[in-house]
Amino acid sequence: MRPLLQAPLSGLLLWMAALLLVGCGQGSEQRVLALRGATMGTTYSLQIVEPPAALDRDALAEQISAQLSDINDLMSTYQPSSELSRFNASSATDWFLVSPELVAVVGAAQAVSEASAGAFDITVGPLVNLWGFGPTVSADVLPSAAEVQAARARVGWQQLDVQLQPPALRKARPDLYVDLSAIAKGYAVDRVAALIESVGVDNYLVEIGGELRGRGINGRGEPWQIAIERPETSKRAMFRVVALRDIGMATSGDYRNFFEVDGERYSHTIDPATGRPVGHRLASVTVLADQAMEADAWATALLVLGPERGFELAEQLGLAAFFIEHAEDASDDESFVTQATAAFNRLSTAP
């Protein structure tokens, strides 16, 4: 019988390590304001260093909550009334008018799909659901080849069109299904960052479900320092510390959301090209980018591509990416080899 699905990579260790490393302002004259809440099926956390004197904490918390609620109302696949859910439920194949915000996120996703030759694909939902990683619990049986083939026919980023003016989406087939879970949290991080910058905040760290954006300094007057988690299923530990300097960060991994059948592990990361969970040795990928939304999407794309193709593409495109791979000849799952792109080494060095 399948074990209960483990929680997705949530960034809990990232956030706990951030709190530890910045010291929450302890022993420092700099004041740190912390906010937390629930959103998008996960949680958000925010630290602001030396908030403006006129900043109203409660009012800011309400603004953040309202903004995240608005994003959920646009992009959730769990809320039947959301804009995205209504698009998915429609059987029409003509233009479907949507908000500029939804078009912006879908357009960004499609750009990563094109650049990654479809490794990132927001239409992969039918396959995710088929393998038991969607909103409904699957039976304790692996899907058949015929079922995988049928689901793959419904998948393909090129079957989705995006129009800027007026903002609209269009399906090439009535049963196309769009899921933004691999990019929406990054987008939400960017929106929260923009909101707090608009009220005069210069130094902050915002995190939603493990996707982050840091600007300025932490409570000790240093760049925000975040730990990349060691990709082990049995425990949580830090692997490497990254300094965030006015940049977004996202990590995708195969070690928190999976199931096993007959001793074989099946990851929640599905390769759209095969219709199956990825089967290579890549354990996790961390990406730094100007926008957390971009980092979010590329972390998934590179994880799908694997250690060789993913690293080659990341170097080719100048992406800042850090790869942790299960060692090929290791006798256990706790031996790793790593490689980092030149851009990652340049951007991530902690002081």
Side-chain angles (χ1 to χ4, degrees):
M1 182 175 182
R2 291 186 187 179
L4 293 175
L5 298 180
Q6 298 191 35
L9 180 65
S10 66
L12 176 62
L13 181 77
L14 295 176
W15 182 247
M16 291 174 64
L19 292 176
L20 174 64
L21 289 167
V22 302
C24 294
Q26 296 176 3
S28 168
E29 294 181 359
Q30 300 183 80
R31 186 165 59 97
V32 178
L33 168 65
L35 296 173
R36 300 188 182 194
T39 186
M40 303 174 77
T42 182
T43 60
Y44 78 85
S45 301
L46 171 65
Q47 288 191 72
I48 297 174
V49 177
E50 289 296 329
L55 183 65
D56 185 322
R57 181 188 188 279
D58 293 337
L60 179 61
E62 289 181 6
Q63 287 180 285
I64 292 173
S65 179
Q67 184 174 74
L68 293 174
S69 179
D70 288 345
I71 294 172
N72 241 350
D73 290 343
L74 293 177
M75 304 179 192
S76 172
T77 55
Y78 289 82
Q79 295 182 11
S81 61
S82 77
E83 192 170 72
L84 182 61
S85 291
R86 287 186 281 109
F87 172 71
N88 284 335
S90 172
S91 60
T93 56
D94 51 3
W95 288 108
F96 188 99
L97 295 177
V98 296
S99 64
E101 292 85 356
L102 185 57
V103 160
V105 175
V106 172
Q110 293 291 79
V112 175
S113 294
E114 182 174 12
S116 66
F120 183 78
D121 193 333
I122 57 175
T123 72
V124 77
L127 288 167
V128 173
N129 295 339
L130 178 66
W131 283 95
F133 297 105
T136 59
V137 178
S138 69
D140 186 26
V141 178
L142 295 178
S144 67
E147 290 173 321
V148 172
Q149 183 177 2
R152 281 189 66 198
R154 296 178 56 196
V155 172
W157 66 276
Q158 292 170 316
Q159 300 188 82
L160 175 65
D161 294 322
V162 183
Q163 176 178 278
L164 296 179
Q165 291 297 333
L169 304 176
R170 182 173 64 182
K171 306 175 181 182
R173 54 181 295 159
D175 57 355
L176 198 70
Y177 179 89
V178 175
D179 187 338
L180 299 175
S181 59
I183 192 171
K185 289 192 295 294
Y187 171 76
V189 167
D190 294 330
R191 289 290 303 276
V192 172
L195 170 62
I196 59 179
E197 287 180 16
S198 73
V199 296
V201 173
D202 296 320
N203 305 299
Y204 64 81
L205 179 69
V206 58
E207 177 263 352
I208 300 177
E211 323 307 347
L212 304 104
R213 182 175 180 85
R215 178 180 178 183
I217 57 173
N218 62 23
R220 297 193 306 198
E222 303 167 346
W224 295 98
Q225 298 173 47
I226 308 299
I228 296 175
E229 184 174 14
R230 188 174 178 85
E232 297 173 352
T233 60
S234 60
K235 59 185 177 183
R236 291 183 181 270
M238 293 185 290
F239 195 95
R240 172 171 172 166
V241 175
V242 175
L244 291 191
R245 299 180 177 89
D246 302 339
I247 205 165
M249 173 178 168
T251 297
S252 289
D254 72 345
Y255 55 98
R256 291 287 174 227
N257 194 3
F258 64 90
F259 64 85
E260 292 185 358
V261 173
D262 297 330
E264 183 172 353
R265 178 186 294 184
Y266 295 87
S267 167
H268 77 289
T269 303
I270 307 297
D271 185 348
T274 66
R276 298 177 56 83
V278 295
H280 48 63
R281 298 188 308 276
L282 190 56
S284 76
V285 182
T286 296
V287 176
L288 305 177
D290 289 339
Q291 300 295 316
M293 176 174 66
E294 181 183 356
D296 197 2
W298 272 112
T300 297
L302 297 177
L303 185 65
V304 170
L305 287 170
E308 292 84 16
R309 291 191 300 151
F311 186 80
E312 180 181 354
L313 181 62
E315 284 283 35
Q316 177 185 333
L317 297 178
L319 300 176
F322 181 71
F323 296 72
I324 305 178
E325 180 182 352
H326 295 285
E328 185 173 6
D329 299 324
S331 59
D332 55 39
D333 288 333
E334 298 186 359
S335 297
F336 305 100
V337 294
T338 66
Q339 53 183 345
T341 64
F344 186 90
N345 286 330
R346 184 175 66 252
L347 291 174
S348 67
T349 303

